[in-house]
Amino acid sequence: MRTYRTLLAGSVALMAVAACGSGGAGGSSSHAISGPIKLVGLWEVKGESPAAIDDYQNGAALAIEQITAAGGIAGKPVTLDRVPLSPSDPQKATSQFLQGVDKKPTMILGIPAATSVLAAKTQIDRAGIPLLATSSTTTPIRFGGPGGSKWLWLLQSYDGYKDQAAVKYATETLKASKIGLTGTSESYGTTNIADLTTALQAKSLKPFAVSKYAPNATDVTPTVLAMKGADAVITFAYPVPLAVQLRQFTQNGLNIPTIGSSSTNIAVQYKMVSGDPLKNVYSVVSCDPTQGSQRQLAKDFGTAYQQKYGTVPTDLAADAYDAVWVAKAAIEKAGSTDPAAINKAMAEVTVTDKVVCSDGYHADGAHVLSHDVSVDKFATAGTTQEIQKYTFPVQDAVK
Amino acid sequence: MDKFVALTASGIAYGAVLAVVALGFLVLYKATGVVNFAHGDLVTLGAYLAVWTTTSLGLPTVPGYLAAIALMGLVGVAIERVAYAPLRSRPPMVVVIATLAAAIVIRGIIAVWQGSEPKTLAGPVGNRVVHIAGAAIAEQRLLITGVAAVAVLALLFVFQRTPYGRQVRALAADPEMARLTGVRTRLVAMGAFALSAMLAALAGILIAPLGAVDLNFGFGLMVTAFAAAVLGGFGSLGGVVLGALVIGLIQQLFGGYVLPDYAATFPAIVLFLVIAVRPEGLLNLTRSRL
Amino acid sequence: MLKAEQITVTFGGVRAVSDVSLAVPAGELLGLVGPNGSGKTTFLNAVCGIVPARGSLTVADRPVRLGRPNAACRAGIARVFQAPQTYGELSCLDNVLLSTSDRRLLGLTGAWPARPAMWKRERARWAFAMSALETVGLESCALEPASLLSYGQQRLLELARALAGSPSILLLDEPSAGLNDAETAALAALLGAVRAAGNTLVVVDHKIDFLDALCDRLVVLELGRVIASGPPDQVWRDDRVISAYLGVASDAEH
Ligand SMILES: Nc1ncnc2c1ncn2[C@@H]1O[C@H](COP(=O)(O)OP(=O)(O)O)[C@@H](O)[C@H]1O
Ligand SMILES: [Mg+2]
C-alpha cells in the first residue's frame, strides 16, 4: 500500500515539464565490472522530514544484505548510498537528484512521488545514469510522455491499470452492472473517476451514479444516499473520507461491495475503519506484500523483513526491495558498469528471482516494468487476502 | 423525505462543529482584536491531545477528553504569554502574521511529537445509529449537536451574565475606552486565549471520531468556520451560530440535491461574497474622541 | 493631587497643546476654559492617556506613564467625555460595573469554577454601582441598555461610571453642553455635591456662569498655551483673556 503522505504528495497537481532531447553517453560495453558496485537510493529515513519513514531504506537494505550473503552482484561487493528526497517537496527533487548523481552511482533507485520524478526530468535526461523509479506510474512519466526519459524506468504497474482492474473485478467476478463511482474532489479522485468511466464505457456501461467529496470530508451523507441501489461501488479517495464512506454505508444499512484503491489499505492500517464496515470491501493494489499474498516469494520476504525489523513490511518496502533485485539483474546482464550498457539491459532483462510485487518484471515500450495488479479482499479483522491477480498487456512508448 | 432528514441532520451536526470552531475564533477576536489563523491548528492539537490522553495515558474516553480540553486551556495561556503578550502594542497586521507563524510552529511540534501518520480517536458512542423518519443518523452526530449546543449556551451565559463577559463585550466595542474605564485587558486576554483554545479542542474532539486526525485536520475546518463567522457578521455570538448552521446546511443540502461536486467550495464562495458585499464586519474603525 | 508638567501634544505639525503645566490640589474643582480649538479636550485626552503626549504627569505624587489609558486608570484618573462614550449594548448597570475598583474574580475563574464567590462579590459591586447610579439619578434605568438613554442621560451615566471607580481625580469635558437651563442648574448642584463628597475635579466648559459658580480657580488656554490662571473674577478681567475671547465672542456666549 502507498503510505498516506505519498498519496497526498502524488495528488499534487502535475506540472508538465517540456520534453527535450535525451543526452548522455551511448558507448558500448567497454567497462567490464571491476570495483565495488554503488547503488544510490533517493528516499528519506525517519527524522529527515516530519513525514519521513524508514520503509524504503529497510526494504533496500534487506535486499543488499541478501545479495551480499550470496556473493554480491556479478561477484563484486555492492554498497547502498542514500540521498534524502522528500515526497512532499517536488521543488527540491532536482537538486536532490543531482546530489545522488554526484555520488557517481552505477544506478539510482527510488524517488517516492511521481511529481518529483516529473520535476527532475531534465536532469534525469542529462545525468545519463539509469534511474529505476519506485513512485507510482502516472500517465506523464511513461516513456514518450512529457515527463518520460530514456534513462527513466518505472517499477510499478501503470496507474490506469488499477482502474481497469477495479472495473474488471466488479463486472466479471462480482457480476455488477450498476456500478457507482465515488472519490475525492481533487486530482486523485477526479482523474481516476474519469479513467474508471472510460473503463466502464469499454464494457458498454455507464456509471450508476458519480459522487465526489472534499478530501477532508467527515460526512459523506449525500454520497451514501446517491449510491443506494448500486450493485458495486468503486472509490478512489483519500484514506480519511474513504473510511468515513465505508462507515456511513454500514450505518445506513448498505452492504454494497466497495472496491477501493491502496487508500483502503492505509485506512485499515491506521485503524480509521475496522469491523463491520469492512465486510464487503476490496482494493486494487500494485503489490500486497502481506501474508495474504498468493506468492510464496512475497511470504518469504515478509518473514525475513519481520525478523530483521520486527514489523510487517509495507508495499513501499517491497518496492525498494524489488528495485535492488532488478538493478542486480540488469547490471549482471550488461556485464559492465557502463551506464549505456545497463540502460540497454534494463530494456531487455526479465526479473523473476526473489522479487515480491510482480511475477516477472520486464520493461515495455513505455518503460513500465510491472503489469500486475492484485485485488485484495479485507477481513473484518483488517487483514487482507489477495484474491485475484490481473496481468495487463505491455504498452508501447507514449506518442 | 428520508433523504431530506438525513441531509438536514448531517448539516446541523456539521454546522454545530463549525459553530464551536467559529466561536473560539470570535471569543479571541472580541477580547483582543486578534484574528487567530492558528485556530485550525489548535483544533488539530486538541484532537491529538485527546488521542494521547486516551491511548498513551490510557484514560477512559470522557475523562481523557476533559483532560485534553483542560490541557488546551493551558496551551492557550502559554500562547498568550509567549506569542501575544510581547506583540500587544504592535499593529494588528503584525499580530495576524504572527498567528500564521504560530500555526506553522504548532503543526511542526505535532509532527515531531506524533509523526505524520494519521491517528484515530475513539468516540464514546461508536458506530451506533438511530432511525428518524426512515433516515439513519449516527449517534455521534446527535452527540455533536447536543454537546455543541450546551457549549454555545455556556458561552452565551459567560458573555451575558458574568463580569468576565461584561469586560469582553466592552473590549470588543471599544478597547481604548475599556482600558480607560479599568477593564483588565491582560486578564481578559489570557482568559480569552484559554477559552478559545478549549473551544478549539472541543470542536476537534467532537469531529475527530467521524474521520481521522492528521496534521491538516483542523485547517480546513477553520477556513469554513471563518466563512461562517464572516457570514454571521463577525460580531454577535448568535449571528455566528446562525452563520455556521446555514453553511452546514447549505453544504449538505445543496451538495446533496443540486451541485454535489462543488459542495466543498461553497464556504469559500460564501466567504468571498460576504467580503465583497459587506467588508465592514472585518474592519476595525478608529474613532475620534471629543 | 494632579500635577501636569509641560504637556505637549502634536498632530502632524500642529501643536494642539504646548507646554501646558498645571497643578490641581486635592479637593479642588478647577475650571478649564478657552476658545474653541484651544486644546482643552486634547489636554484632557493627554492626561488620560488616549493621545500620545510628551511631558510628565503625577497623581498623588506618583508618576503616571503618558499614552497608556490603563496606566491613567490605575493612577485614579477618570474621564467624562463631551460625546458620551458609553457601551450602548450593555445595560446601564453593566456600564457602571466596568469601572469597579474591586478587581477580584473578574476573570474566567470567576465566570465558571468560582461562581458562588464571584456572585457574592458581584452583589457588593452591584450595590455600589447602584448607589453611583442613584447619585446621578439614573437608578430607574439600571437594567436598560445604555443606547436607550438620551444624550444628557448618557453623560450622566458616564459620570456615574467614573464615580463608581472611586477616582482620585475626575476630568469632565463640557458637561453642560446641550442641556437647558434647568438641567444645567441640576448638573451644577450634582457637581457641587460630588465635590463636597471630597472629589477632585477638572471641568472644561463654555458656560461661564455655570463655571463661575462652581470653581475656585480657572485656567485659560489659547492656541494650546496657558494664558491666564486664577480666581474667576480676576481671570475675566485679564486683557489677554478678553482679547482671546473677543475674536470668538459668539462662541463664548453659546
Ligand atoms: N485627532 C486629531 N488630529 C488632528 N488634529 C486634532 C485632533 N484632535 C484635535 N486636533 C486639533 O487640535 C486643536 C485642539 O482641539 P481640541 O483639543 O478639540 O480643542 P477644544 O477642546 O479646546 O475645542 C484643534 O486645532 C484641533 O483641530
Ligand atoms: Mg473640546
Side-chain angles (χ1 to χ4, degrees):
Chain A
M1 7 170 167
R2 307 265 68 83
T3 65
Y4 189 62
R5 54 78 191 261
T6 311
L7 190 87
L8 291 180
S11 69
V12 172
L14 301 184
M15 217 191 317
V17 177
C20 53
S22 53
S28 59
S29 44
S30 56
H31 310 235
I33 300 184
S34 54
I37 287 164
K38 185 195 261 184
L39 301 178
V40 162
L42 299 181
W43 48 61
E44 299 178 301
V45 297
K46 252 196 177 129
E48 287 176 337
S49 81
I53 47 169
D54 285 333
D55 302 31
Y56 294 104
Q57 181 65 15
N58 284 351
L62 178 61
I64 297 283
E65 185 183 287
Q66 292 175 352
I67 289 170
T68 303
I73 295 180
K76 303 290 184 232
V78 52
T79 61
L80 175 66
D81 217 334
R82 192 178 61 81
V83 173
L85 191 144
S86 154
S88 48
D89 213 350
Q91 299 93 321
K92 287 193 191 149
T94 305
S95 66
Q96 287 161 335
F97 173 76
L98 287 176
Q99 285 172 42
V101 171
D102 285 345
K103 293 183 181 283
K104 305 215 182 319
T106 313
M107 247 186 110
I108 301 176
L109 314 175
I111 306 193
T115 40
S116 305
V117 175
L118 198 54
K121 181 233 160 29
T122 313
Q123 298 307 326
I124 295 170
D125 278 340
R126 231 176 251 158
I129 296 174
L131 164 65
L132 177 51
T134 51
S135 74
S136 61
T137 298
T138 57
T139 304
I141 64 171
R142 293 174 304 164
F143 184 59
S149 166
K150 172 185 169 188
W151 298 97
L152 172 64
W153 303 90
L154 305 161
L155 187 83
Q156 291 191 29
S157 54
Y158 175 48
D159 271 358
Y161 286 156
K162 292 174 195 162
D163 299 307
Q164 293 182 27
V167 167
K168 225 168 142 68
Y169 192 78
T171 52
E172 291 172 9
T173 309
L174 299 175
K175 308 278 183 225
S177 57
K178 291 190 278 181
I179 299 173
L181 306 180
T182 70
T184 31
S185 55
E186 40 58 73
S187 79
Y188 180 67
T190 320
T191 3
N192 280 295
I193 285 176
D195 290 351
L196 288 163
T197 309
T198 315
L200 283 175
Q201 274 158 0
K203 303 214 169 236
S204 315
L205 288 173
K206 273 198 316 216
F208 169 75
V210 175
S211 179
K212 296 175 200 159
Y213 36 73
N216 60 357
T218 48
D219 186 340
V220 299
T221 304
T223 299
V224 173
L225 297 175
M227 292 303 135
K228 261 189 186 160
D231 335 311
V233 173
I234 303 178
T235 301
F236 275 73
Y238 286 0
V240 174
L242 168 82
V244 174
Q245 178 190 315
L246 294 177
R247 285 209 301 249
Q248 285 196 302
F249 273 163
T250 307
Q251 287 173 347
N252 282 271
L254 301 183
N255 191 27
I256 312 171
T258 303
I259 305 171
S261 65
S262 53
S263 293
T264 324
N265 302 56
I266 297 167
V268 171
Q269 186 190 346
Y270 291 118
K271 303 197 169 51
M272 293 174 205
V273 55
S274 57
D276 281 354
L278 289 178
K279 258 184 186 151
N280 213 347
V281 177
Y282 307 83
S283 68
V284 285
V285 292
S286 62
C287 185
D288 178 1
T290 68
Q291 296 303 313
S293 170
Q294 292 174 356
R295 286 172 56 78
Q296 188 54 44
L297 285 175
K299 292 183 181 177
D300 294 346
F301 165 69
T303 311
Y305 193 95
Q306 174 90 39
Q307 246 168 32
K308 188 165 158 69
Y309 302 111
T311 58
V312 176
T314 61
D315 58 333
L316 304 176
D319 286 338
Y321 177 83
D322 282 4
V324 173
W325 285 102
V326 172
K328 171 181 187 287
I331 294 166
E332 287 178 346
K333 183 171 179 72
S336 153
T337 50
D338 172 40
I342 295 171
N343 209 50
K344 185 159 169 286
M346 278 299 296
E348 293 163 358
V349 73
T350 300
V351 189
T352 51
D353 190 26
K354 290 287 191 182
V355 290
V356 176
C357 296
S358 173
D359 289 335
Y361 286 107
H362 183 83
D364 62 18
H367 284 200
V368 180
L369 277 86
S370 171
H371 300 89
D372 299 336
V373 177
S374 302
V375 180
D376 276 349
K377 178 163 180 27
F378 288 86
T380 49
T383 54
T384 55
Q385 193 70 42
E386 187 181 22
I387 52 166
Q388 178 84 50
K389 181 168 226 167
Y390 295 115
T391 300
F392 285 91
V394 296
Q395 297 177 295
D396 293 329
V398 183
K399 295 209 182 65
Chain B
M1 181 60 198
D2 56 337
K3 183 173 180 187
F4 181 76
V5 172
L7 292 174
T8 305
S10 60
I12 290 174
Y14 186 55
V17 172
L18 287 183
V20 176
V21 179
L23 286 176
F25 220 71
L26 194 69
V27 164
L28 193 63
Y29 175 73
K30 282 192 153 247
T32 65
V34 173
V35 176
N36 179 18
F37 285 111
H39 197 66
D41 291 275
L42 291 175
V43 173
T44 311
L45 181 60
Y48 270 104
L49 277 173
V51 170
W52 180 68
T53 55
T54 51
T55 57
S56 301
L57 296 189
L59 294 177
T61 316
V62 174
Y65 287 1
L66 295 177
I69 292 173
L71 282 172
M72 282 298 287
L74 298 181
V75 168
V77 172
I79 292 176
E80 196 276 339
R81 291 286 84 197
V82 173
Y84 173 67
L87 299 178
R88 199 190 296 275
S89 51
R90 299 295 179 82
M93 190 50 97
V94 173
V95 181
V96 168
I97 291 168
T99 67
L100 285 171
I104 295 167
V105 171
I106 293 170
R107 208 177 291 199
I109 289 173
I110 300 173
V112 170
W113 174 47
Q114 289 283 309
S116 60
E117 293 165 359
K119 308 274 177 185
T120 51
L121 181 63
V125 294
N127 279 334
R128 290 201 303 263
V129 292
V130 291
H131 290 270
I132 299 173
I137 294 162
E139 284 184 11
Q140 177 72 20
R141 290 201 164 73
L142 297 179
L143 187 74
I144 286 175
T145 313
V147 172
V150 170
V152 168
L153 290 177
L155 197 66
L156 275 176
F157 171 83
V158 168
F159 262 63
Q160 302 293 339
R161 293 288 152 82
T162 68
Y164 181 78
R166 183 164 71 218
Q167 295 176 91
V168 171
R169 287 194 288 157
L171 268 170
D174 188 342
E176 198 173 45
M177 269 313 294
R179 274 181 214 120
L180 182 59
T181 320
V183 168
R184 308 185 65 190
T185 40
R186 201 175 304 181
L187 184 85
V188 173
M190 272 207 292
F193 269 89
L195 197 58
S196 174
M198 284 159 72
L199 286 168
L202 177 66
I205 288 169
L206 285 177
I207 202 162
L210 291 177
V213 193
D214 64 20
L215 293 176
N216 299 314
F217 169 72
F219 184 78
L221 212 55
M222 175 186 73
V223 174
T224 313
F226 187 70
V230 172
L231 182 65
F234 224 93
S236 76
L237 301 188
V240 166
V241 172
L242 205 65
L245 288 175
V246 166
I247 292 227
L249 284 170
I250 285 184
Q251 194 155 339
Q252 293 299 313
L253 290 175
F254 224 63
Y257 283 113
V258 194
L259 286 171
D261 291 358
Y262 298 95
T265 57
F266 291 155
I269 293 170
V270 169
L271 179 61
F272 180 79
L273 289 180
V274 173
I275 289 177
V277 174
R278 49 181 303 269
E280 63 273 17
L282 293 173
L283 298 176
N284 229 342
L285 302 173
T286 50
R287 39 192 115 208
S288 63
R289 308 218 186 263
L290 294 167
Chain C
M1 177 61 67
L2 176 100
K3 203 160 156 208
E5 269 167 18
Q6 298 192 303
I7 299 289
T8 301
V9 181
T10 51
F11 294 112
V14 183
R15 284 190 154 208
V17 174
S18 185
D19 289 330
V20 171
S21 302
L22 54 87
V24 190
E28 183 176 359
L29 195 161
L30 175 76
L32 187 61
V33 296
N36 257 348
S38 58
K40 306 177 297 288
T41 299
T42 305
F43 175 74
L44 296 189
N45 283 350
V47 169
C48 62
I50 60 178
V51 297
R54 280 179 290 128
S56 76
L57 182 66
T58 60
V59 172
D61 293 327
R62 272 200 292 271
V64 182
R65 202 161 157 200
L66 290 170
R68 296 290 160 108
N70 33 2
C73 175
R74 267 199 306 278
I77 298 170
R79 171 80 183 270
V80 176
F81 289 82
Q82 182 183 348
Q85 308 279 319
T86 52
Y87 295 104
E89 55 171 281
L90 268 63
S91 70
C92 295
L93 183 63
D94 274 345
N95 265 282
V96 176
L97 283 166
L98 282 174
S99 67
T100 178
S101 49
D102 173 10
R103 299 294 190 78
R104 274 163 296 184
L105 290 175
L106 290 176
L108 269 187
T109 25
W112 205 259
R115 266 170 307 151
M118 180 272 282
W119 287 126
K120 213 167 129 203
R121 299 219 156 265
E122 194 68 352
R123 272 193 289 276
R125 288 193 279 253
W126 282 345
F128 193 70
M130 278 310 290
S131 69
L133 282 172
E134 272 163 32
T135 309
V136 301
L138 283 178
E139 68 277 13
S140 59
C141 319
L143 297 179
E144 285 173 23
S147 55
L148 295 183
L149 298 185
S150 72
Y151 200 74
Q153 284 176 316
Q154 291 202 31
R155 201 181 290 134
L156 289 174
L157 175 61
E158 249 198 285
L159 178 59
R161 183 172 71 195
L163 288 172
S166 313
S168 309
I169 180 154
L170 188 54
L171 314 173
L172 292 101
D173 197 356
E174 308 210 20
S176 78
L179 301 188
N180 62 30
D181 288 349
E183 289 166 337
T184 307
L187 177 71
L190 175 57
L191 291 183
V194 167
R195 185 200 173 181
N199 287 296
T200 311
L201 296 95
V202 175
V203 181
V204 169
D205 216 287
H206 273 313
K207 289 185 179 162
I208 289 165
D209 296 342
F210 169 77
L211 273 189
D212 284 359
L214 277 171
C215 303
D216 319 294
R217 200 157 63 92
L218 284 180
V219 170
V220 188
L221 289 184
E222 188 199 12
L223 297 174
R225 291 175 185 280
V226 178
I227 55 166
S229 126
D233 49 343
Q234 183 189 323
V235 162
W236 294 125
R237 272 182 273 124
D238 190 303
D239 286 345
R240 289 179 63 192
V241 176
I242 292 167
S243 68
Y245 266 86
L246 272 179
V248 286
S250 54
D251 261 3
E253 289 312 312
H254 160 76

